[in-house]
Each structure stands twice: as C-alpha cells, then as structure tokens.
Amino acid sequence: MARKIELGLDTFGDVTYDADGRLLPQDQVIRNVVAEAVLADEVGLDFIGIGEHHRDDFAISAPDVVLAAIAGQTKNIRLGSAVTVLSSDDPVRVFQRFSTLDAVSNGRAEVILGRGSFTESFPLFGLDLADYDILFDEKLQLFTELRKERPITWAGQTRGPLDNKSVYPPTASGSLPTWIAVGGTPQSVVRAAHYGLPLMLAIIGGAPMNFAPFVELYHKALDQFGQPRLAIGAHSPGYIAATDEQAKDEMWPHYVDMQERIGRERGWSRMTRGQFEAEAGPDGALFVGSPETVATKIVKVAKGLGLDRWDMKYSLGTLPHGKLMRSIELYGKEVAPSVREQLAAG
C-alpha cells in the first residue's frame, strides 16, 4: 500500500567544534541551530524538533524560545520539542508556551512529551528523583486535560489544584498536537494509547525492526481503549554525505566521543569502530551514508513499522555546523524526494 510520510529533524543543540577544532560557545551554537532550521524549511523538510537539556555539552535549555526565533524566519516547517521533560516542568506553563508558539507560527507548533533520558532537570528545579514516576503520570494526566481547552478542575499530589480554571492562550485549531516519546518500555506505549496520543519511538541503538512489537502493542491498546488509529513516528541518529565512507568517516570521531562522554556517566563500554559499522549497516539504528543509502534505509523502516513520520537526529556531538548544514541540504533535496517517491509507489 502506498504511504505518505513526514520527514523531519531533531537536535539537542549539541555543542560543536568550529573550523579549527575548538568548542563553540553555547550562544553561537543556538544561533547555528536557528540557521539549520531555516535551511530545513528551505529544502522542504516537514518538522524540526529541539530537545531540552541542562548541561554543558548541549546548549538548549529553553526549546520554545529557540523555536519562536525559528518561527519568525520560516514559513512551512512544523516546530516542536524533542522532548519536553514534562516531569520537571509545569503542565500549565508548557501548554501556554507551546500555544503561544502556535500563535506566532500560525499553527505550526506541536509538543513531544517524555521523561527524558537525562535527569539534570530534577535537582535543578528542586525535584526528588524518587518521585520520577508519579511526577510524569500526574503531569501527563493534567496536560491531556489542558489540551481540551476548556475550564479545568484537577487535583493531585505534585502541584496545587485547579478549580474551574481556564488557561490562555487557546490554540486557533482547538487542540495542540502532542506526541508521547517512548524509549523502550511497554508501559509507556500503553500510556500513549490510553491518553489517545500519537507515539514517537526513540530508536537509538539496535535493529529498528525490534520495535515492531511496540507498534503491535500500541495498536492493540488503542483498540482496547476505544481510540482511533493514531500516528506513529520514529527518531534515529543520522548523517548524510556524498558517499557512505565519507559519511561514516566524518561522523565516527564525533559520535564515539559523545557516546564515551555520556557512557562514563552511565557505565557504558566504549563503542568500537566495528560496532559503529554494524549500527550503520542495513539493520542498525544509525542512518548514515550517501543519500541513496539513507533513503533506502528510511523506506525499509517506514514500511516495516508503518511510520507516519521519521525524524533524523542530525546533531552528533561536536560535528561542526558546516557539515550539519550539508547533511540537512542532502536530506531535503535528495533523500526526502527519494523516500516520498518510493513510498508513493508502494
């Protein structure tokens, strides 16, 4: 069956090297992210997602502010978070920030909610990691009520109650597009179905087709909760250059350094070049190579998982801005048309 798919980008605002191999200051990184998003709009990509972090190797702690800057310089591309760490934020303010973004972008805002894979925001905002589960559960419950855009009465343990309160501004459409990001837990898949929210799969390692059982579980859960079929998306790291070898050689040193830096915090072993090559192969989670190679891999995964959107996490550690711009250009001008054509042909 022929399929249509949205093709987007994600970035965490990774702090990159300049042309001389020195780390850029975070303010310049943020301006570069805006330029990258403007290029993505110019080459016809569908979405740009910006992640939230609170550490020295990622520059963006306020995605909605950066997205508002992007909104003023773009026309068509949809604008969202990737992800908003709802557990350590206030659902009312999240809704207000993104409904405001929706207004200034003329209806292009959406939000991807998740727990986040980093926990720096918890102590930063005075929250206890022991409350990790209840914080997300209660705040997601409240946010789904806020999306109904009508006076709300709500009470829980993690914030003060609301008694017939309206929240402003409303969106012009009456419903802020909202996804749930899922890493690897069936409970999160079922939760997305329970609330009737589209599912975004974070596929950052291993075979993407290993997520097929999650897709099946999501469909079954939607049926059980009486929900309609909803969109399914996936996000994976990727990088595009003229040839497979060029792409892998340019990506490898920056990617392995990032993996090692995060791995020291989490007890990972250092990635070998052989492991990298396997992940970059036809069945791995890294979408790296020539436009033809990357397009072929996207089509395979889109068909296999029944995807409605695929986002490339294009920022890869310290990989310089100029190379990221070329990768985005190839993605929009060569990869995206090829993927759409192949999927349209069935």
Side-chain angles (χ1 to χ4, degrees):
M1 173 181 276
R3 294 190 62 86
K4 291 185 177 180
I5 190 169
E6 293 183 345
L7 296 168
L9 292 166
D10 290 333
T11 179
F12 299 159
D14 305 43
V15 174
T16 60
Y17 285 148
D18 64 13
D20 297 320
R22 295 172 297 194
L23 288 173
L24 289 173
Q26 290 197 349
D27 62 316
Q28 183 61 57
V29 172
I30 291 171
R31 290 190 289 272
N32 287 348
V33 168
V34 174
E36 289 154 11
V38 170
L39 175 60
D41 185 52
E42 291 172 353
V43 298
L45 294 171
D46 297 305
F47 174 77
I48 179 74
I50 295 181
E52 170 196 347
H53 292 83
H54 305 271
R55 44 190 291 143
D56 62 358
D57 48 352
F58 299 118
I60 297 174
S61 61
D64 48 292
V65 177
V66 180
L67 290 165
I70 294 167
Q73 299 183 48
T74 57
K75 296 180 179 179
N76 300 307
I77 196 166
R78 294 192 60 78
L79 312 167
S81 56
V83 301
T84 294
V85 184
L86 189 63
S87 307
S88 57
D89 212 327
D90 182 85
V92 173
R93 292 299 286 146
V94 171
F95 179 85
Q96 290 177 323
R97 295 198 302 264
F98 279 88
S99 64
T100 301
L101 174 65
D102 198 61
V104 299
S105 66
N106 195 24
R108 290 187 280 140
E110 57 186 68
V111 59
I112 303 178
L113 303 175
R115 296 169 179 265
S117 62
F118 294 84
T119 59
E120 290 84 2
S121 60
F122 285 79
L124 183 64
F125 299 121
L127 299 169
D128 190 341
L129 274 172
D131 298 328
Y132 186 84
D133 290 324
I134 191 172
L135 283 166
F136 187 74
D137 289 343
E138 280 202 354
K139 291 184 178 187
L140 179 58
Q141 179 192 62
L142 174 54
F143 193 86
T144 55
E145 291 299 312
L146 291 164
R147 289 185 68 242
K148 297 174 184 177
E149 302 195 21
R150 62 194 185 199
I152 180 173
T153 296
W154 180 91
Q157 301 177 47
T158 56
R159 57 151 290 154
L162 297 172
D163 183 13
N164 197 36
K165 295 292 186 182
S166 295
V167 176
Y168 304 102
T171 62
S173 67
S175 182
L176 178 66
T178 302
W179 301 67
I180 292 290
V182 173
T185 60
Q187 295 88 343
S188 296
V189 174
V190 174
R191 183 186 290 111
H194 171 73
Y195 287 112
L197 295 174
L199 183 71
M200 181 62 66
L201 300 169
I203 306 175
I204 59 175
M209 293 312 302
N210 289 343
F211 282 75
F214 280 8
V215 173
E216 182 179 0
L217 174 61
Y218 183 58
H219 287 155
K220 287 182 178 178
L222 287 172
D223 292 342
Q224 289 174 357
F225 290 121
Q227 302 283 7
R229 289 298 169 97
L230 299 169
I232 298 174
H235 131 123
S236 293
Y239 179 68
I240 306 159
T243 68
D244 290 353
E245 289 309 309
Q246 179 186 348
K248 288 187 287 188
D249 287 345
E250 290 180 353
M251 175 178 170
W252 160 249
H254 304 278
Y255 186 74
V256 72
D257 285 351
M258 177 182 66
Q259 291 290 102
E260 185 175 24
R261 182 174 64 252
I262 297 172
R264 284 195 297 267
E265 303 169 5
R266 304 186 180 186
W268 299 346
S269 58
R270 180 178 172 85
M271 173 178 272
T272 67
R273 181 65 189 242
Q275 290 170 324
F276 173 78
E277 293 283 347
E279 290 284 2
D283 298 319
L286 300 182
F287 289 68
V288 53
S290 68
E292 180 181 7
T293 295
V294 174
T296 298
K297 196 166 183 178
I298 294 172
V299 169
K300 176 182 176 181
V301 173
K303 287 182 176 180
L305 297 178
L307 298 181
D308 300 283
R309 189 164 85 198
W310 185 81
D311 295 334
M312 181 173 77
K313 199 276 183 179
Y314 72 93
S315 55
L316 301 160
T318 51
L319 191 64
H321 169 64
K323 294 187 184 300
L324 298 180
M325 292 286 276
R326 179 57 177 158
S327 179
I328 293 168
E329 183 178 27
L330 290 171
Y331 182 28
K333 290 185 175 180
E334 298 188 28
V335 174
S338 176
V339 169
R340 292 171 180 141
E341 181 179 350
Q342 292 181 62
L343 290 176

